[in-house]
Amino acid sequence: MEACIFFFYAMILLPGIAASVHQVKSFLNHTAYLSCYFPNSQKTDIKDLRVFWQKGDVEVVHEVYYGQEKHDNLSPKYMNRTKMDMDKWTLQLLNAGIVDEGQYTCIIQHRDKGSPRVIHRSQCLLHIIANYSQPEIEWLHTGELKPNEYLNLSCSSSGGYPEPKQMMWLISHENTTYRIMRHMDVSQDAVTKLYSVTSKLNITVPANTLTNISCLLHLGEQLGSLVSVPLGIEIQGEEMEQVKINFFVPLIAVIILITLIPAFVILKKNRNTSPTNQSVSLAA
């Protein structure tokens, strides 16, 4: 009750104090650092201050009462999960989870001769990050891929947070790269709150040229992107088989002619000389 009264009282006294909002990112199950630093903080005796950390409107996250940590008003889910670094005026939130996302308010009150006076108020907006797995392409096509047939692929990534922005396909061949957008299926685990994403691709691949296909998962401007290992595909077209036939048939014909012509010449020569030899023998 005392803490709630303090926060209401502090809000009334704060119209002249600007509240800055700090964007804070922390990896899932790591320690989040929420700053409450204010000018001349090093010259202030902690024994003259009351420091409150609050999430939302009612949850008390941490409290330092004139130099001593106080646990009476803490929300149960933050019990034994917070530490205050007074040298850096930073609250350490241990084992930060997705449920811990949100806005935290720090209020510092100075003990004066009269009523305690609010000297600082700041806010931190906590974002939790969980790394997605590297996107992986799965071959959905069965059997040998033939020219002009559709290629069916699937790309998936899982175990990440927050929800990604988009998933796209990169198709590269003949030194040219095309970007193809397809529908992205998104699902969220009911317990872990982590996301899984999948996208499917159905296209024809040019024949007789190497085509590289990659899948790119865009997580946001500040989080960057993840890309899959490229899938290389090269299909031999029917025209290539025709080229092989057109090349080898004349080649075989030439080989046959080269082999038969000398034999034909020798045979013809023998036929021409045989009657003459016979007539000479009879004359003798």
Side-chain angles (χ1 to χ4, degrees):
M1 180 62 69
E2 179 185 356
C4 294
I5 294 174
F6 166 75
F7 287 124
F8 177 75
Y9 177 68
M11 293 297 293
I12 295 176
L13 295 179
L14 286 176
I17 299 178
S20 57
V21 179
H22 304 281
Q23 303 291 329
V24 178
K25 294 182 176 63
S26 176
F27 284 103
L28 180 66
N29 299 326
H30 285 62
T31 299
Y33 297 90
L34 309 177
S35 175
C36 192
Y37 183 82
F38 63 97
N40 298 322
S41 60
Q42 302 301 325
K43 299 179 181 180
T44 306
D45 191 346
I46 188 63
K47 295 181 180 180
D48 294 329
L49 301 178
R50 299 172 66 185
V51 182
F52 291 84
W53 278 96
Q54 180 181 6
K55 183 185 180 186
D57 296 327
V58 295
E59 287 186 308
V60 179
V61 178
H62 195 85
E63 180 180 358
V64 179
Y65 189 82
Y66 299 129
Q68 300 293 325
E69 291 189 346
K70 191 176 181 180
H71 304 285
D72 299 345
N73 301 312
L74 296 188
S75 173
K77 70 178 184 179
Y78 293 106
M79 193 70 68
N80 299 321
R81 291 185 57 215
T82 58
K83 293 192 302 183
M84 188 72 181
D85 185 347
M86 288 303 178
D87 293 330
K88 299 180 180 179
W89 292 91
T90 300
L91 179 69
Q92 300 178 19
L93 177 58
L94 309 178
N95 196 31
I98 294 176
V99 294
D100 294 320
E101 272 196 325
Q103 185 164 292
Y104 293 78
T105 303
C106 173
I107 301 173
I108 300 179
Q109 192 178 42
H110 186 268
R111 178 164 51 184
D112 212 335
K113 294 180 181 179
S115 302
R117 179 173 57 92
V118 175
I119 62 172
H120 179 71
R121 178 176 183 264
S122 63
Q123 294 177 327
C124 291
L125 188 59
L126 176 61
H127 305 274
I128 300 299
I129 302 171
N131 287 329
Y132 281 85
S133 62
Q134 183 181 17
E136 184 175 351
I137 297 178
E138 181 182 358
W139 183 285
L140 302 180
H141 190 89
T142 57
E144 182 181 357
L145 188 63
K146 298 180 180 180
N148 301 322
E149 283 189 344
Y150 277 92
L151 174 66
N152 297 312
L153 299 175
S154 173
C155 182
S156 59
S157 178
S158 61
Y161 191 90
E163 183 176 352
K165 299 299 181 181
Q166 63 184 8
M167 179 175 276
M168 68 176 64
W169 294 85
L170 305 178
I171 316 297
S172 301
H173 59 82
E174 296 180 349
N175 298 323
T176 303
T177 300
Y178 305 91
R179 295 193 174 200
I180 299 179
M181 299 296 300
R182 290 292 184 265
H183 175 71
M184 180 177 66
D185 293 319
V186 181
S187 62
Q188 186 178 28
D189 189 277
V191 178
T192 65
K193 304 301 180 182
L194 299 178
Y195 288 98
S196 297
V197 294
T198 302
S199 178
K200 293 183 179 180
L201 180 68
N202 186 275
I203 60 169
T204 57
V205 178
N208 307 319
T209 182
L210 177 62
T211 300
N212 288 314
I213 301 177
S214 302
C215 174
L216 185 142
L217 180 63
H218 183 52
L219 304 175
E221 293 183 0
Q222 296 182 348
L223 299 179
S225 303
L226 295 173
V227 65
S228 68
V229 176
L231 176 66
I233 300 173
E234 187 170 10
I235 304 173
Q236 297 297 330
E238 294 177 354
E239 62 274 13
M240 180 62 71
E241 297 298 327
Q242 185 65 37
V243 169
K244 292 179 180 179
I245 294 174
N246 292 340
F247 175 75
F248 283 110
V249 168
L251 179 61
I252 294 173
V254 170
I255 294 174
I256 293 175
L257 287 176
I258 292 174
T259 304
L260 293 180
I261 287 176
F264 177 76
V265 172
I266 294 172
L267 180 61
K268 186 176 181 181
K269 183 178 180 180
N270 291 337
R271 287 181 178 179
N272 292 336
T273 57
S274 294
T276 307
N277 294 336
Q278 290 178 1
S279 59
V280 172
S281 298
L282 291 173

